Amino acid sequence: MEKANLGRELNTLLVNLENGVAVITFNRPKQLNAMNIEVMAELETTLTWAANEPDVKGVILTGAGEKAFIAGADIVMFRDMDAVSGREFAIRGERLSRLIEDMPKPVIAAVNGYCLGGGSEVALACDMRLASANAVFGQPEAKYGIMPIWYGTKRLPQIVGMGRAREIIMTCRMVKADEAERIGLVNKVVPLENLMDGAMAMMNAVLANSPLGVAYAKRAMTLNWDLDMEHAGEVERDLGAVLYATADKNEGVAAFVEKRKPRFQGR
Ligand code: COA
């Protein structure tokens, strides 16, 4: 692992590069990695860098320490928030989660403990979620008289179904790792000590494929989620047609015929 060079120092995140994978670690373990405005600003800078840096092939998000991925937005911030700043805060969080969802590279959440509120919404924006056995999910916003505003009300129902999402958001109850796996909130649960290796293995399974095929399919899934068949077909057709004109398609097919591993260039 080497420290990534973003051209500036960060206070709240650790960013390392491991074989082309940017590992972004939320690093406020004393506050259970709760997200304040500084974390949000640094995450935005880092995700933008990761999206544009050719050496970065994929991103893994995780939390420092053994207790938390992100225990939500920093609740102390809410004290001084009014309607206007609350709305700006929502827009910032939406922007962050869309940077993840729109990134043409795989993004995996390695959830190592509490994953609550805005932390859960960050994880929901990722392509895949791997959780340690001590992971705990929840959307406890209504306990504080607020509600999920970083697309939690949209993505949680998409991922676990409307009935379960309503229960989780309206009761504010915590969902432990085994239940999270059962309801499809996480892809897999592993022992805490295997979490980062597991996330890297999941990432490598994606990176073995054509980066263009993966990126375009990710984009199609994002765009198509709530489109009708006519428009979803249009999206698939147009994105899919471009892939037939790529070197990666020729390489993938040639490798199959020649019974060898493909060497994709993302071209
Ligand atoms: N915002 C700000 N500070 C937070 C935080 C948050 N979301 N979550 C935890 N912290 C802080 C605690 O205030 C505490 O700080 P202190 O040591 O200065 O008192 C420190 O992190 C450790 O948390 P603590 O509550 O002592 O740990 P715990 O193991 O007893 O409980 C939680 C863990 C996650 C159950 C509990 O911290 C909690 O409920 N946090 C709030 C989570 C939440 O509702 N997030 C969504 C907000 S919309």
Side-chain angles (χ1 to χ4, degrees):
M1 276 246 244
E2 59 176 287
K3 189 170 175 246
N5 181 10
L6 277 74
R8 56 166 284 197
E9 286 302 312
L10 302 173
N11 287 324
T12 67
L13 304 177
L14 304 172
V15 186
N16 289 299
L17 263 179
E18 190 174 342
N19 299 325
V21 178
V23 179
I24 302 175
T25 306
F26 296 96
N27 191 28
R28 296 175 77 221
K30 285 195 182 125
Q31 293 81 24
L32 304 186
N33 304 320
M35 289 179 88
N36 58 18
I37 295 293
E38 186 179 21
V39 179
M40 293 171 77
E42 291 191 348
L43 184 58
E44 194 168 334
T45 302
T46 307
L47 291 171
T48 306
W49 163 81
N52 293 303
E53 171 58 55
D55 288 346
V56 174
K57 310 295 181 204
V59 174
I60 294 176
L61 299 176
T62 194
E66 301 197 336
K67 259 188 96 171
F69 175 69
I70 305 170
D74 196 319
I75 296 167
V76 182
M77 267 188 324
F78 297 145
R79 227 172 16 199
D80 300 322
M81 239 176 229
D82 58 17
V84 173
S85 52
R87 192 166 182 278
E88 282 164 2
F89 175 68
I91 291 169
R92 264 193 119 124
E94 285 165 16
R95 203 163 61 218
L96 268 180
S97 76
R98 294 197 63 181
L99 272 172
I100 296 171
E101 191 171 68
D102 293 342
M103 186 164 328
K105 303 176 183 181
V107 185
I108 294 176
V111 179
N112 57 315
Y114 287 111
C115 180
L116 303 173
S120 163
E121 290 172 298
V122 166
L124 291 172
C126 294
D127 298 310
M128 283 161 253
R129 286 156 291 283
L130 185 70
S132 57
N134 67 328
V136 177
F137 294 78
Q139 298 289 164
E141 285 86 349
K143 275 190 188 172
Y144 311 103
I146 54 176
M147 60 175 268
I149 49 172
W150 296 355
Y151 289 120
T153 62
K154 181 156 175 70
R155 292 203 185 101
L156 191 60
Q158 284 177 342
I159 292 171
V160 303
M162 185 59 90
R164 288 189 175 112
R166 286 195 186 213
E167 187 205 332
I168 291 167
I169 290 174
M170 293 169 73
T171 65
C172 298
R173 82 174 170 87
M174 305 254 183
V175 176
K176 291 186 179 161
D178 53 348
E179 182 186 357
E181 184 177 27
R182 188 163 45 76
I183 66 176
L185 181 48
V186 301
N187 296 76
K188 197 174 165 189
V189 179
V190 294
L192 180 60
E193 60 273 22
N194 299 346
L195 182 67
M196 293 315 288
D197 285 349
M200 208 47 95
M202 206 177 227
M203 179 62 78
N204 286 332
V206 179
L207 298 183
N209 303 314
S210 154
L212 289 177
V214 167
Y216 283 31
K218 171 173 173 172
R219 186 70 189 145
M221 285 188 275
T222 302
L223 292 174
N224 279 355
W225 184 265
D226 45 15
L227 288 187
D228 57 80
M229 293 300 269
E230 184 65 27
H231 289 94
E234 200 80 29
V235 167
E236 278 193 351
R237 237 172 280 141
D238 287 350
L239 286 171
V242 175
L243 291 173
Y244 287 94
T246 61
D248 274 8
K249 185 273 290 179
N250 294 340
E251 170 63 10
V253 175
F256 174 79
V257 173
E258 292 160 24
K259 300 189 190 302
R260 61 172 174 80
K261 276 193 175 169
R263 287 179 300 271
F264 292 117
Q265 307 163 47
R267 314 285 302 178

